[in-house]
Amino acid sequence: MYTGQLGMESPVLRARCPVQEQRARWERKRARTARELLETERRYQEQLGLVATYFVGILRAKGTLRPPERQALFGSWELIYSASQELLPYLEGGHWGQGLEGFCPHLELYTQFAANAEKSRTTLQEQLKKSKRFRRFVRLQEGRPEFGGLQLQDLLPLPLQRLQQYENLVVSLAENTSPNSPDHQQLTRAARLISETAQRVHTMGQKQKNDQHLRRVQALLSGRQAKGLTSGRWFLRQGWLLVVPPSGKPRPRMFFLFSDVLLMAKPRPALHLLQRGTFICRALYPMAQCQLHKVFGHSGGPCGGLLNLSFPREKLLLMSTDQEELVHWYHSLTLAISQKN
């Protein structure tokens, strides 16, 4: 009888094992994620505090920077530090859902911080360049052992880096929390709000990088025709390519590819001393009207290749002696064409 009962029960036990094993895996991952969130929050708060104390606080007390410059440099840093100070006790007490849900109203501080990121970088560069007093102060503070060799420019992006960590960790925590857990709904809401904020910040960062590219390209273009050429566009790629004419030798030209147009330019003559290193715009090709074909360069060899770009009123045959460069151009041009069709 005893053996028979074991034989009857074992299929039931076997059927339960996969579910129990899955639950155990979820619980282990949840525990690891929670521990990582707690440990990294402690370190994050420590670094926020170092900057708040040794930079923001002392600069305010000494008046080394005027208030507008200090605000431009650090933005909402101290408020972000306070938000972390509110969150950490909840994490240390194991109140993940309550703590993270209460933290979410502070996410707007991260959006504000991201919006100010470019201004913060330029303010730091300008003040280090023009203020000997500020430069000496920054070097002195960075030399403190508490900073472990980190420079102020390394620390300023910290909140934005932490926001990405919040997204990864809180989403993982929510996904590995049982629906029957009392804090499941709180964690799910927090994960959604943090992910939405991280996406907004990412979009802002992409726009800031694009704006930097546009300003740089605009500075390279000279002449009346160049004014406003980059305004409102998305930069994709630039580089030298050889334009192959129907007859004669290939001519090197600088190409700037944007999301909607391909700009061809040639260098200013060396005699133009004030505009040396700039380019004259020679043609602007709309990508919505472009048909692209590889003429040569399919083999992946080292010999480069040719790209054929057809427009309603003109055809361009572009050559590169660098196969890898040609492949990059082909993919970038394909992307620009697909976005316009």
Side-chain angles (χ1 to χ4, degrees):
M1 289 292 293
Y2 183 70
T3 304
Q5 287 176 346
L6 282 176
M8 291 174 61
E9 291 177 4
S10 58
V12 177
L13 291 173
R14 282 198 300 271
R16 290 175 180 173
C17 282
V19 176
Q20 292 171 342
E21 288 173 0
Q22 182 61 54
R23 287 175 179 170
R25 282 195 294 270
W26 284 340
E27 188 54 43
R28 286 195 297 271
K29 190 170 182 181
R30 172 186 160 90
R32 284 197 304 270
T33 303
R35 183 168 59 251
E36 184 179 355
L37 178 59
L38 173 59
E39 291 173 354
T40 54
E41 187 66 22
R42 285 171 173 159
R43 176 58 180 158
Y44 174 53
Q45 186 180 122
E46 178 186 352
Q47 291 179 312
L48 288 175
L50 288 174
V51 174
T53 300
Y54 292 113
F55 281 99
V56 186
I58 295 178
L59 283 171
R60 182 189 294 114
K62 295 180 70 172
T64 307
L65 288 181
R66 295 183 300 114
E69 294 161 346
R70 192 176 65 245
Q71 178 62 29
L73 180 56
F74 296 104
S76 52
W77 189 282
E78 289 179 303
L79 294 174
I80 288 173
Y81 178 38
S82 297
S84 175
Q85 289 178 309
E86 290 180 21
L87 173 62
L88 187 57
Y90 286 98
L91 302 186
E92 290 176 331
H95 306 298
W96 311 100
Q98 184 181 359
L100 289 165
E101 189 176 46
F103 172 75
C104 285
H106 299 299
L107 289 171
E108 181 59 28
L109 296 173
Y110 286 81
T111 305
Q112 295 169 6
F113 192 85
N116 186 63
E118 176 62 21
K119 189 176 182 181
S120 174
R121 281 191 293 269
T122 56
T123 300
L124 178 61
Q125 292 168 1
E126 289 170 0
Q127 293 303 316
L128 286 173
K129 185 177 181 179
K130 74 178 187 180
S131 173
K132 183 178 179 180
R133 183 184 177 196
F134 178 72
R135 193 163 57 245
R136 188 168 56 242
F137 169 79
V138 169
R139 283 201 300 264
L140 179 65
Q141 301 305 86
E142 289 174 345
R144 289 178 176 271
E146 295 93 332
F147 288 98
L150 290 174
Q151 297 181 333
L152 180 57
Q153 64 181 4
D154 303 320
L155 293 163
L156 285 177
L158 192 62
L160 301 184
Q161 295 166 0
R162 184 56 177 169
L163 180 62
Q164 186 59 60
Q165 291 178 333
Y166 279 142
E167 182 182 21
N168 296 336
L169 293 170
V170 177
V171 167
S172 178
L173 194 62
E175 289 176 346
N176 290 281
T177 296
S178 168
N180 299 323
S181 174
D183 61 354
H184 179 264
Q185 289 188 353
Q186 292 174 316
L187 288 172
T188 301
R189 284 194 296 268
R192 176 177 57 81
L193 292 171
I194 290 171
S195 293
E196 290 173 356
T197 303
Q199 183 56 51
R200 283 197 298 273
V201 165
H202 175 73
T203 301
M204 292 168 63
Q206 293 295 100
K207 186 178 184 307
Q208 288 174 355
K209 288 180 181 178
N210 182 65
D211 290 344
Q212 289 175 12
H213 282 304
L214 294 184
R215 287 194 295 271
R216 179 183 57 79
V217 172
Q218 188 66 64
L220 289 173
L221 300 173
S222 61
R224 290 183 181 178
Q225 292 179 326
K227 290 184 178 179
L229 274 180
T230 63
S231 179
R233 295 195 154 106
W234 281 90
F235 174 83
L236 297 180
R237 188 170 192 81
Q238 81 176 67
W240 289 98
L241 291 170
L242 294 169
V243 178
V244 182
S247 62
K249 293 182 179 180
R251 302 186 301 270
R253 293 290 183 263
M254 175 63 78
F255 285 88
F256 300 93
L257 177 62
F258 301 93
S259 54
D260 62 332
V261 294
L262 177 66
L263 189 155
M264 181 174 71
K266 74 173 187 178
R268 279 273 182 187
L271 294 175
H272 290 262
L273 297 178
L274 296 179
Q275 294 179 324
R276 183 179 293 175
T278 64
F279 297 86
I280 308 168
C281 177
R282 301 301 297 170
L284 208 61
Y285 300 99
M287 299 312 297
Q289 300 174 8
C290 178
Q291 293 183 343
L292 172 67
H293 303 283
K294 267 188 186 179
V295 179
F296 173 70
H298 293 273
S299 64
C303 299
L306 295 166
L307 295 176
N308 185 4
L309 285 73
S310 298
F311 301 92
R313 297 183 180 180
E314 189 174 351
K315 289 187 178 180
L316 274 180
L317 194 58
L318 304 179
M319 183 173 75
S320 173
T321 56
D322 185 327
Q323 174 69 25
E324 185 178 354
E325 181 72 4
L326 186 84
V327 170
H328 288 320
W329 269 106
Y330 180 77
H331 289 315
S332 297
L333 288 163
T334 301
L335 174 63
I337 293 168
S338 67
Q339 289 177 345
K340 287 297 163 186
N341 292 321

